[in-house]
Amino acid sequence: MYNNLIENLTEFIKTLENPEKPHHYFPVPEGATSKGKKVELGFSCYAMKCYFMLDKWNQLDNKIKENWKKHINSFQSLNNKFPNNSFIDKTVLDDYEKFNLQKDMKNLFKFSINTIGIKKYELSKQRLNKTIVAETKQAISTLYMVGDKNQLPYLDFPKKEEDIFNHLNLFDWDKPWNAGAQFASLCVFVSTQLNGVEKIDAVNSLVKFINSKVNEGTGLYFENKLPNSVESINGAMKVLTGFEWLESKIHYPEKIIDYCLSQEPNNEGCDLVDIVYVLNRCGKQTEYKKAEIIKYLNFVESLIMKHFIEDDGGFSYFLEKSQTHYYGVKISEGLAKADIHGTTLLIWALSLIDNFRTDDNSLFKVIKA
């Protein structure tokens, strides 16, 4: 089954490449918005990940590979609004910064509520800053995936223990999906951008910090009350991706396995890959309930295949509906078409499932987030 699927998926990714601009990929084969056709950085990273996971990267001509890596590096910017040498997609930035009366009024209301202390809302500027960090993390991790690195050093992030603790405690660990993503980003930056004693100290500080967030009862990472299953599993996934960069062990893999196996998987791209990733990583650290994990993963695999759009040869993020937004930018009309985001995530999920079942003799290559 996988051999034919791999070829279909490879052809699907090829059809999304802009014929007028190499290494620029459209989000969908049909129904893209004008902005969706202009977003470049994220979709170029997605396509590179797909080629790598499908084991097609090394079949590309060396000149194509070098030019593609240069294309991703071309998005590094000295924009003084953001950390030096961040990776910035102009279309994404412009969409955040454009005037929108309804959006601006909503942001003003949230600011007012924050000021009087009734509730703590995330403001547009905070969302934009997180988006730039996330895009930078993705670009750096993608380049490292293919044995390359960012052309300019990215060093504008907390490195000392006190600064790391202060930064990560800014986020709401009652909602570990977002907070865990910030932890994961720091893990990537520390692992790829630092060296020597500075790197060792920062790694130790990150481990020390996350030790304070692990819940001994469930093995999950959060504060106060156990969040809903989506928040809990997706939050754990983010934290565990950070552990993979730090080469750290999971605290209570058996407890996390029990929790995941007790949950009904959700049918969206992110949710599917997140529970698969968590079970793969925890199951690699222990022999606990291996047969049950495989049975569960087989069921998730059947859900993944329901996302396959035969006519396109790719996966849709939603069931019979393409992904519509990328970091708040509307990229498609949500037709019953495959899309680059869903395809990337679900190839990753399949690679993790096959990797776990075949004890590393997978048809796919597994990546780090």
Side-chain angles (χ1 to χ4, degrees):
M1 178 191 81
Y2 278 157
N3 284 319
N4 288 338
L5 181 64
I6 286 171
E7 295 309 316
N8 286 334
L9 291 166
T10 304
E11 289 305 310
F12 172 67
I13 296 300
K14 287 180 181 177
T15 66
L16 297 180
E17 188 169 16
N18 184 347
E20 298 178 1
K21 189 172 185 181
H23 320 307
H24 172 204
Y25 288 79
F26 297 129
V28 285
E30 188 179 330
T33 64
S34 58
K35 288 177 184 174
K37 292 177 181 178
K38 292 178 182 177
V39 172
E40 289 195 56
L41 174 59
F43 302 153
S44 193
C45 288
Y46 287 165
M48 186 181 284
K49 286 178 177 179
C50 288
Y51 270 94
F52 187 86
M53 291 187 291
L54 296 169
D55 204 12
K56 302 295 184 182
W57 173 255
N58 287 330
Q59 296 179 20
L60 295 175
D61 182 83
N62 284 335
K63 186 175 181 181
I64 292 174
K65 290 192 286 188
E66 290 305 312
N67 286 338
W68 199 343
K69 289 183 283 189
K70 287 178 182 176
H71 177 69
I72 290 177
N73 263 316
S74 72
F75 288 90
Q76 279 198 285
S77 170
L78 292 174
N79 189 320
N80 60 15
K81 294 181 181 178
F82 307 105
N84 286 337
N85 300 329
S86 294
F87 285 76
I88 299 175
D89 188 305
K90 187 176 184 303
T91 300
V92 175
L93 179 60
D94 288 349
D95 188 73
Y96 268 91
E97 292 187 333
K98 78 177 188 305
F99 176 77
N100 180 301
L101 182 60
Q102 184 179 7
K103 186 172 71 174
D104 291 348
M105 289 297 291
K106 186 184 292 186
N107 194 62
L108 181 61
F109 171 75
K110 289 179 178 180
F111 177 78
S112 301
I113 295 296
N114 289 352
T115 302
I116 59 180
I118 296 176
K119 194 171 181 179
K120 191 69 174 175
Y121 283 107
E122 184 178 69
L123 303 178
S124 294
K125 184 178 179 181
Q126 294 168 312
R127 285 200 305 277
L128 174 56
N129 288 339
K130 286 196 318 186
T131 295
I132 298 302
V133 168
E135 289 249 87
T136 299
K137 176 213 169 192
Q138 173 161 254
I140 289 173
S141 66
T142 302
L143 290 167
Y144 271 72
M145 174 190 74
V146 294
D148 205 69
K149 62 182 181 179
N150 43 302
Q151 188 172 5
L152 302 172
Y154 178 82
L155 295 168
D156 200 352
F157 57 88
K159 307 170 190 68
K160 297 184 182 299
E161 182 174 303
E162 182 180 1
D163 296 333
I164 287 172
F165 273 61
N166 288 338
H167 173 72
L168 291 176
N169 277 322
L170 289 173
F171 304 101
D172 184 0
W173 283 89
D174 290 345
K175 298 176 180 177
W177 191 352
N178 171 46
Q182 311 313 312
F183 171 79
S185 292
L186 265 190
C187 291
V188 171
F189 300 149
V190 164
S191 299
T192 62
Q193 307 299 297
L194 301 183
N195 293 293
V197 174
E198 187 177 36
K199 179 176 179 177
I200 293 170
D201 287 347
V203 168
N204 290 337
S205 297
L206 285 165
V207 172
K208 184 177 177 181
F209 174 84
I210 206 63
N211 287 344
S212 69
K213 304 302 179 187
V214 63
N215 178 270
E216 293 185 15
T218 62
L220 300 166
Y221 301 88
F222 63 91
E223 282 186 333
N224 302 315
K225 188 174 75 171
L226 176 66
N228 65 52
S229 61
V230 172
E231 190 75 40
S232 296
I233 292 170
N234 293 5
M237 181 268 186
K238 295 299 185 183
V239 171
L240 299 194
T241 62
F243 285 178
E244 194 169 3
W245 285 95
L246 299 182
E247 299 182 353
S248 294
K249 287 195 174 291
I250 302 160
H251 294 81
Y252 303 107
E254 292 87 356
K255 292 180 179 180
I256 297 177
I257 289 168
D258 280 336
Y259 182 82
C260 289
L261 293 179
S262 72
Q263 303 301 316
E264 191 78 21
N266 290 304
N267 223 328
E268 289 185 15
C270 277
D271 297 337
L272 288 169
V273 73
D274 285 0
I275 197 164
V276 167
Y277 179 87
V278 171
L279 284 170
N280 176 286
R281 295 285 296 137
C282 290
K284 290 283 187 176
Q285 193 172 307
T286 175
E287 290 299 309
Y288 182 69
K289 292 189 176 180
K290 186 165 185 177
E292 290 182 45
I293 294 173
I294 290 175
K295 183 179 179 181
Y296 190 95
L297 293 178
N298 287 343
F299 174 65
V300 175
E301 182 183 52
S302 70
L303 297 181
I304 290 170
M305 293 312 300
K306 291 180 180 179
H307 288 251
F308 189 71
I309 307 291
E310 194 82 40
D311 290 345
D312 298 331
F315 292 107
S316 58
Y317 182 90
F318 303 104
L319 276 178
E320 299 182 353
K321 179 183 175 182
S322 64
Q323 176 63 279
T324 55
H325 288 78
Y326 179 79
Y327 290 114
V329 181
K330 187 173 181 183
I331 56 171
S332 89
E333 300 300 336
L335 305 180
K337 304 294 288 181
D339 61 83
I340 196 167
H341 188 192
T343 296
T344 305
L345 291 177
L346 296 181
I347 290 173
W348 189 21
L350 290 177
S351 75
L352 291 164
I353 291 171
D354 197 44
N355 167 271
F356 191 79
R357 286 190 308 216
T358 58
D359 199 23
D360 297 332
N361 295 313
S362 176
L363 292 169
F364 301 89
K365 284 185 175 292
V366 177
I367 63 171
K368 289 195 287 189

